[in-house]
Amino acid sequence: MGIIYQESTKEFHLYNRETSYLMKILRNGQIGQLYFGKRVPLKEDYGYLLENRYRPASAYVYDNEYSFSLEHLKQEYPSYGTTDFRMPALEILQPNGSRITDFCYHSHKIYQGKPALQGLPATYTESPGEADTLEILLKDERLNIEMTLLYTIFQTENAIARSVRFENKGECACQLTRAMSLSLDLPDADYEWIQFSGAWSRERYVKTRLLQQGVQSVGSVRGASSHHHNPFIMLKRPKADEFQGETLGFSLVYSGNFLAQAEVDTYNVTRVMLGIHPLGFSWLLEPGGAFQTPEAVAVYSAHGMNGMSQAFHRLYRTRLARGYWRDRERPILLNNWEATYFDFTKEKLLAIAKTAKEDGVELFVLDDGWFGSRCSETSGLGDWWPNPQRLPEGICGLSKEIEAMGLKFGLWFELEMVNKDSELYRNHPDWILQTPGRHASHGRKQYVLDFSRKEVVDYIYGLVAKILKESKISYIKWDMNRNITECFSQGYGAERQGEIFHRYILGLYDLYDRLNREFPEILFESCASGGGRFDPGLLYYAPQCWTSDDTDAVERQKIQYGTSYAYPVSSMGTHVSITPNHQANRTTPLETRGNVAMFGAFGYELDLARLSQEEREIVREQIRFVKKYRRLIHTGDFYRLLSPFEGNFTAWMAVSPDKRQAIVGYYKILNDVNREFRRLRLQGLEEGLLYHVWENGACAGDFYGSELMHIGLIATDSSAGEVGATETPCCDFWSRLLVLEAEG
Ligand code: DGJ
């Protein structure tokens, strides 16, 4: 059991092989935070870590005493206004207008395994011994509201999952206006804060700054986790790097509005928080009502950022992603979007699919434009039946023809949206999110369906399920191309309007869940104008996500590198597209486009018939390679080696769990001349094993793991001299792909 409660000192110790998490029931019944970090011994008394001495406070809890104030105490789930002046984890608006609460320890439970969170995605266990759970029940006696702090510490993975549940056992309705999933007070502020921010086509760029006194935060109030900030942050010691030093990662398993924040007080205590963004949020806790926050996951790594990432990768790949496709090799797909956009006929699609099949593709995906009156972005969303002009035999007929070619068939949907020019909107104009009496803003000429209402979700489910039952569909790309404005639901009264953003996400999860259950063998790939909803919440329903609309091989190095901090390689949709690239207008070698896309759920986004015969041969070789090595790339330990955010090179590698095989990707942005000899130090290999290193099918030498890790792989290229004068000139946007295989 990885959770101990010391009755004598009222301390909880959660631990696994690498981490300890210590808490204590405080004198006033609230829960104090003692320590989160590298594993320390099981000991009865860690109370000295409260460090409540010497420092004067501006307000004290007990009459005639100057010893107990929450102002300087490190806490687990703090509230505002009872001697703590920092940002609180919770806030409850009560009938008398007060927001003061006092949740005190009542009891706790410790058990093996992990409970599911109703209606919400969450990490899970497959056998009870994989994790231990602690539930601490606190009560506000005056309101008769119960608050349960849930903690699960994984034994097989180095991670702690947290969430909070509120239940109103009282007589009065209250409004929960803030309910973070995680709050954690750390004793100092000697950290760099790292966030993953960007925009459409440059998602999850790595942004670093030193923590400062005051509040720093990222978040989203767009109704989706967003392109702009990811619900994931890291705190790392300034001297920590990819391979050593303390790194903390905090991730929210949620797809909607979020806040990730660190508040450093004047004594350099750091309060980290993660949860639903409080802006505009409220939840009516009626008598008998309850609220469950989304789950947050925290990882402590003593082995730098790669150590932290690998913990998230394993957990999210094997204990967040679920179902039929979790452990299966992902099909190599070809998507028609950039090949045709809206301009296609059935014949054109079949021709594209036929060429794809010839080259070894396994799955053909029909993107936007197949349904209703959809011939451009102005109409049709919501009418999920095939357009008879374009597809005379419907999706049913097309999917059968594609399957007859020996390919699987996949289909695009954007289920949360409607165009005004659609039957759905004409019949149900009140089914969009819009504020009565106010203008409703559009995005891409589309409006957001009110997924907080069950009848709307039911209607959409009915349409999709019909197509999926009638046709042979193996894959769904689930897109979402705008953010929510004028958020208001006509299905709820005034007192529940603060719930709509969250209820929308619950409706989204419900639809995913129903489709997952009804069609368990369909592979779902989530998407939101590229990577606008790349978050752990959706990985629970869709094990892969379209990483970005930007498929340029140079841009993608940054996007995939940034995404890899929290998310496994298997979760990143990565495609080779045509050049000049449609987003960046850049021309890169086909080999490099492939070598970048191979570190993901691989596919093509082009009509292969438009390539030359030589290029087709390169494509065939790429496909052969991916088929041979995709399991290793998806399930191996992923190491970031060189950062595209720091220089002209990117490098990463995947190492098989038994360390006998590895694949290295090495990328150069701009070519150079007469430059230094270069070495690339590899990671994660077995020191004493002899590896054959293969490049382009030829053996490039035999080296011991220790040589490759400590001396490094020779990465010198022809730019060490006069590039053009050599037999093997390298060029701008050049890359190498190396396979390491242990001898014997
Ligand atoms: C945005 C997606 O990111 C693209 O891949 C494509 O599916 C379009 N939407 C279709 O409208």
Side-chain angles (χ1 to χ4, degrees):
M1 184 64 85
I3 301 177
I4 300 260
Y5 176 63
Q6 304 282 1
E7 179 60 50
S8 56
T9 52
K10 301 198 180 323
E11 288 178 16
F12 297 97
H13 190 154
L14 287 64
Y15 61 94
N16 57 26
R17 276 195 307 276
E18 297 179 59
T19 300
S20 283
Y21 193 102
L22 296 167
M23 296 177 278
K24 182 181 180 69
I25 303 169
L26 299 174
R27 187 180 155 195
N28 71 339
Q30 293 181 16
I31 308 295
Q33 156 62 218
L34 298 179
Y35 173 75
F36 174 40
K38 198 172 171 65
R39 170 79 192 267
V40 291
L42 300 177
K43 230 176 81 172
E44 197 171 343
D45 192 355
Y46 277 104
Y48 67 92
L49 292 172
L50 277 178
E51 291 184 292
N52 200 22
R53 296 168 66 200
Y54 307 126
R55 189 177 292 160
S58 43
Y60 297 91
V61 171
Y62 298 108
D63 293 345
N64 305 319
E65 260 195 39
Y66 294 92
S67 58
F68 189 87
S69 168
L70 296 167
E71 185 171 0
H72 306 306
L73 275 177
K74 296 185 287 297
Q75 294 160 69
E76 274 302 293
Y77 205 71
S79 59
Y80 164 78
T82 59
T83 71
D84 188 339
F85 302 98
R86 292 165 287 181
M87 290 291 146
L90 83 150
E91 191 178 64
I92 297 179
L93 176 60
Q94 300 146 47
N96 67 357
S98 164
R99 292 166 199 258
I100 297 296
T101 50
D102 185 18
F103 282 94
C104 297
Y105 172 85
H106 177 270
S107 57
H108 72 266
K109 281 197 287 196
I110 297 173
Y111 52 89
Q112 284 198 317
K114 182 173 190 296
L117 303 185
Q118 211 199 342
L120 284 167
T123 54
Y124 59 89
T125 53
E126 288 199 330
S127 63
E130 288 180 5
D132 302 294
T133 295
L134 165 67
E135 294 191 12
I136 307 178
L137 176 66
L138 300 106
K139 280 188 179 178
D140 183 302
E141 294 294 350
R142 195 179 164 84
L143 296 173
N144 204 0
I145 292 181
E146 293 183 356
M147 176 171 90
T148 305
L149 306 181
L150 286 122
Y151 299 82
T152 297
I153 182 151
F154 285 85
Q155 294 305 322
T156 42
E157 307 301 338
N158 181 26
I160 295 176
R162 286 185 57 179
S163 71
V164 183
R165 192 170 61 231
F166 294 88
E167 283 171 81
N168 188 350
K169 301 274 167 94
E171 309 281 300
C172 296
C174 293
Q175 288 277 1
L176 188 59
T177 54
R178 185 179 178 103
M180 290 290 123
S181 298
L182 169 150
S183 179
L184 178 69
D185 288 350
L186 299 166
D188 67 83
D190 189 20
Y191 291 102
E192 283 172 2
W193 155 285
I194 303 175
Q195 66 192 54
F196 299 86
S197 300
W200 173 81
S201 268
R202 50 181 173 85
E203 295 90 340
R204 290 170 296 286
Y205 276 26
V206 181
K207 308 271 176 190
T208 306
R209 59 185 131 136
L210 267 182
L211 268 189
Q212 299 288 350
Q213 287 182 0
V215 172
Q216 40 255 283
S217 70
V218 291
S220 167
V221 286
R222 295 168 171 269
S225 47
S226 90
H227 297 92
H228 305 80
H229 300 293
N230 198 260
F232 170 67
I233 53 156
M234 296 188 323
L235 296 181
K236 82 164 185 67
R237 296 297 187 189
K239 287 192 178 141
D241 60 26
E242 285 286 4
F243 310 112
Q244 61 76 38
E246 288 194 323
T247 306
L248 304 173
F250 300 96
S251 166
L252 187 67
V253 186
Y254 191 58
S255 311
N257 291 350
F258 77 91
L259 176 68
Q261 176 172 297
E263 177 176 8
V264 181
D265 74 10
T266 45
Y267 301 96
N268 288 337
V269 170
T270 301
R271 173 168 292 174
V272 183
M273 271 186 195
L274 202 55
I276 290 180
H277 203 297
L279 181 67
F281 169 81
S282 61
W283 193 271
L284 182 64
L285 271 181
E286 284 184 322
F291 181 77
Q292 168 68 53
T293 72
E295 174 167 293
V297 177
V299 167
Y300 166 83
S301 162
H303 308 289
M305 295 182 282
N306 263 303
M308 179 222 60
S309 295
Q310 288 173 5
F312 274 112
H313 292 175
R314 279 192 298 270
L315 184 72
Y316 283 179
R317 181 169 56 76
T318 65
R319 292 295 180 268
L320 178 63
R322 300 172 300 162
Y324 184 84
W325 285 101
R326 187 188 75 181
D327 302 326
R328 283 191 161 73
E329 293 185 3
R330 305 290 167 71
I332 297 173
L333 68 81
L334 183 138
N335 179 305
N336 76 306
W337 180 241
E338 289 200 3
T340 66
Y341 294 106
F342 288 110
D343 180 19
F344 62 81
T345 59
K346 181 184 148 197
E347 289 64 39
K348 209 169 180 178
L349 296 175
L350 289 174
I352 295 173
K354 182 166 172 288
T355 325
K357 171 65 189 166
E358 283 164 14
D359 289 354
V361 167
E362 297 162 309
L363 166 72
F364 174 78
V365 179
L366 172 53
D367 210 279
D368 196 353
W370 58 268
F371 51 91
S373 60
R374 183 82 163 175
C375 292
S376 72
E377 60 187 41
T378 59
S379 67
L381 282 175
D383 296 344
W384 299 109
W385 48 83
N387 178 334
Q389 274 85 51
R390 291 189 153 193
L391 303 172
E393 291 85 33
I395 288 297
C396 180
L398 178 66
S399 64
K400 282 186 184 151
E401 285 191 63
I402 298 281
E403 283 229 335
M405 287 181 184
L407 285 164
K408 294 288 180 197
F409 180 72
L411 197 57
W412 179 96
F413 288 94
E414 191 175 0
L415 300 172
E416 300 151 69
M417 301 289 158
V418 66
N419 289 115
K420 283 199 170 168
D421 185 0
S422 67
E423 279 193 32
L424 172 57
Y425 184 80
R426 283 186 279 277
N427 292 334
H428 299 285
D430 61 325
W431 276 12
I432 64 170
L433 290 171
Q434 64 177 332
T435 304
R438 303 274 176 201
H439 172 71
S441 311
H442 78 99
R444 212 193 185 202
K445 300 242 169 45
Q446 63 195 50
Y447 298 82
V448 185
L449 284 171
D450 183 355
F451 266 33
S452 72
R453 290 166 70 177
K454 187 165 178 313
E455 64 271 33
V456 179
V457 176
D458 286 349
Y459 174 82
I460 295 293
Y461 173 80
L463 290 182
V464 186
K466 182 168 181 296
I467 295 189
L468 299 184
K469 279 182 195 146
E470 286 170 0
S471 316
K472 293 189 169 299
I473 295 175
S474 304
Y475 161 105
I476 286 180
K477 177 176 173 185
W478 183 316
D479 206 347
M480 192 282 290
N481 284 301
R482 65 157 289 187
N483 292 143
I484 295 175
T485 54
E486 295 92 23
C487 182
F488 187 100
S489 168
Q490 303 197 35
Y492 293 86
E495 70 290 356
R496 290 206 178 270
Q497 292 304 322
E499 302 176 4
I500 302 308
F501 271 117
H502 182 56
R503 284 190 181 275
Y504 175 90
I505 296 293
L506 295 179
L508 168 72
Y509 290 154
D510 177 45
L511 184 57
Y512 256 116
D513 202 51
R514 284 152 77 176
L515 292 169
N516 280 172
R517 282 171 201 277
E518 180 78 21
F519 306 98
E521 291 185 15
I522 291 183
L523 171 62
F524 285 81
E525 176 155 345
S526 68
C527 170
S529 294
R533 217 164 47 182
F534 201 125
D535 58 61
L538 286 185
L539 285 186
Y540 187 68
Y541 307 98
Q544 57 193 60
C545 175
W546 183 223
T547 315
S548 176
D549 276 348
D550 191 341
T551 49
D552 170 68
V554 175
E555 297 288 308
R556 268 299 184 114
Q557 290 171 39
K558 284 188 174 160
I559 296 168
Q560 291 171 214
Y561 199 93
T563 304
S564 80
Y565 279 87
Y567 304 101
V569 169
S570 59
S571 68
M572 295 184 218
T574 49
H575 299 175
V576 172
S577 60
I578 205 86
T579 52
N581 177 267
H582 288 192
Q583 293 76 36
N585 198 28
R586 184 183 281 125
T587 297
T588 55
L590 180 55
E591 290 88 339
T592 295
R593 280 175 271 153
N595 292 347
V596 174
M598 279 173 197
F599 287 83
F602 184 79
Y604 291 87
E605 190 92 9
L606 49 80
D607 179 356
L608 292 169
R610 291 193 210 157
L611 303 185
S612 67
Q613 274 316 311
E614 295 82 62
E615 288 174 317
R616 293 276 298 277
E617 197 35 61
I618 294 171
V619 165
R620 287 183 187 143
E621 183 46 39
Q622 288 173 342
I623 291 176
R624 278 194 288 273
F625 186 92
V626 171
K627 285 180 179 166
K628 187 164 176 197
Y629 292 111
R630 61 187 150 189
R631 181 169 292 282
L632 161 59
I633 293 172
H634 287 183
T635 63
D637 289 329
F638 182 78
Y639 291 86
R640 290 177 298 272
L641 303 175
L642 294 176
S643 169
F645 296 99
E646 288 168 11
N648 197 27
F649 295 89
T650 303
W652 50 45
M653 68 187 289
V655 184
S656 65
D658 65 2
K659 297 184 185 291
R660 299 193 59 82
Q661 276 193 321
I663 314 272
V664 181
Y666 177 75
Y667 314 89
K668 181 188 211 177
I669 311 299
L670 290 182
N671 206 10
D672 41 9
V673 61
N674 195 20
R675 295 304 300 255
E676 61 270 35
F677 297 126
R678 295 187 173 114
R679 292 178 190 181
L680 175 67
R681 291 222 257 168
L682 305 187
Q683 290 285 329
L685 303 173
E686 192 66 57
E687 303 247 344
L689 275 182
L690 186 67
Y691 293 90
H692 305 303
V693 178
W694 299 89
E695 185 168 11
N696 297 324
C699 185
D702 295 342
F703 307 94
Y704 284 99
S706 51
E707 286 180 84
L708 295 168
M709 293 193 292
H710 308 311
I711 299 174
L713 182 84
I714 298 301
T716 304
D717 57 50
S718 52
S719 68
E722 192 180 344
V723 188
T726 63
E727 282 170 15
T728 52
C730 49
C731 57
D732 290 348
F733 321 127
W734 187 69
S735 68
R736 296 174 69 185
L737 189 68
L738 301 132
V739 177
L740 278 59
E741 268 162 359
E743 190 182 60

